[in-house]
Amino acid sequence: MAVSKYHTTADIMQAYQAGQRAFGESRVQELCAKHDELPQDIEWHFIGHLQTNKVKYIAPFISLIHAVDTISLLGEIDRQAQRHDRTIPCLLQVHIAQEPTKYGMQPADLIRLLEDGQWRTMTHAHITGIMAMATNTTDTMQIQAEFHTVSQLFQQVRAQYFSQDPTFRTLSMGMTADYPIAISQGSTMVRIGSKIFN
Ligand SMILES: *Cc1c(COP(=O)(O)O)cnc(C)c1O
């Protein structure tokens, strides 16, 4: 998936002409403006921190929300998706990096959310995988260890809660600086920005 945040619609169109269809944005306003302006067969992903009160703006068209980290956000996505008579695929964001500023759930909190079971009552927000970011470091062993931990968690969660659901299959991890390591650890979706647009 091509991360097009901060890049112009002209830049996005260049990637589009080359065949790219999935683009990721991290700000609601910017995303909505680009969605209005650009071809309607683009698959838009939301990759940033999503505020509950802004879900309604992207619910009509969003293809995948990468960074769900609370049950209340998931609940609002479910409500808004229902209003628009659609199902919105969502990834649960797990916090694995050794950086306090990034969003996401601790692995134990993620398990607690799944164990609690409220998500099972949601008919229009559908959990299809896990998303994570590694620490921004040059220590490749650390990055590898973090992605490995996420990958183990992904497999555990799939076996424990989604064994009957083949749509739970997305492990979103890896950006420009660390995507080869992410792929080596089982990533199924990399989010590449600067390597494509800069
Ligand atoms: C910006 C961003 C990316 C892309 O980062 P690059 O280093 O430019 O590839 C990926 N994921 C998230 C969540 C981002 O915010």
Side-chain angles (χ1 to χ4, degrees):
M1 186 267 286
V3 176
S4 51
K5 65 183 183 200
Y6 315 140
H7 295 285
T8 64
T9 52
D11 289 340
I12 297 172
M13 273 316 289
Q14 234 181 313
Y16 180 90
Q17 302 294 4
Q20 181 69 28
R21 288 296 179 273
F23 293 92
E25 291 283 333
S26 59
R27 290 180 183 178
V28 168
Q29 212 178 351
E30 187 178 342
L31 169 57
C32 290
K34 287 172 175 174
H35 168 260
D36 286 348
E37 198 175 324
L38 288 164
Q40 291 304 301
D41 65 338
I42 287 180
E43 185 187 300
W44 291 105
H45 294 211
F46 195 81
I47 60 170
H49 177 68
L50 182 56
Q51 288 173 269
T52 305
N53 62 354
K54 293 194 173 164
V55 172
K56 58 178 176 284
Y57 301 116
I58 64 171
F61 66 86
I62 199 74
S63 290
L64 181 63
I65 298 177
H66 282 243
V68 174
D69 60 2
T70 62
I71 191 70
S72 60
L73 176 58
L74 193 67
E76 176 62 7
I77 294 168
D78 184 51
R79 273 187 295 280
Q80 295 298 334
Q82 187 153 22
R83 277 188 57 208
H84 294 281
D85 198 25
R86 51 193 306 262
T87 300
I88 299 180
C90 297
L91 308 179
L92 298 177
Q93 183 181 7
V94 62
H95 178 102
I96 215 75
Q98 284 173 5
E99 286 160 343
T101 53
K102 286 182 178 164
Y103 294 101
M105 289 176 271
Q106 295 298 318
D109 294 330
L110 185 144
I111 296 294
R112 211 168 292 129
L113 181 152
L114 291 167
E115 197 58 36
D116 174 59
Q118 200 187 332
W119 61 277
R120 292 183 194 276
T121 68
M122 299 179 185
T123 48
H124 293 71
H126 193 64
I127 300 171
T128 58
I130 285 175
M131 178 271 209
M133 277 185 269
T135 302
N136 183 10
T137 172
T138 55
D139 182 348
T140 57
M141 293 309 288
Q142 184 183 343
I143 295 170
Q144 183 171 328
E146 289 176 1
F147 283 148
H148 183 72
T149 301
V150 179
S151 194
Q152 299 278 95
L153 181 67
F154 175 72
Q155 286 167 50
Q156 180 203 333
V157 163
R158 184 167 58 182
Q160 208 166 330
Y161 301 96
F162 296 92
S163 60
Q164 307 300 316
D165 181 359
T167 68
F168 186 93
R169 60 171 177 225
T170 301
L171 180 52
S172 166
M173 57 184 198
M175 335 201 317
T176 295
D178 56 19
Y179 75 89
I181 307 173
I183 291 168
S184 79
Q185 297 306 312
S187 169
T188 69
M189 190 180 286
V190 291
R191 309 178 307 270
I192 309 296
S194 37
K195 200 177 177 82
I196 293 174
F197 289 103
N198 291 346

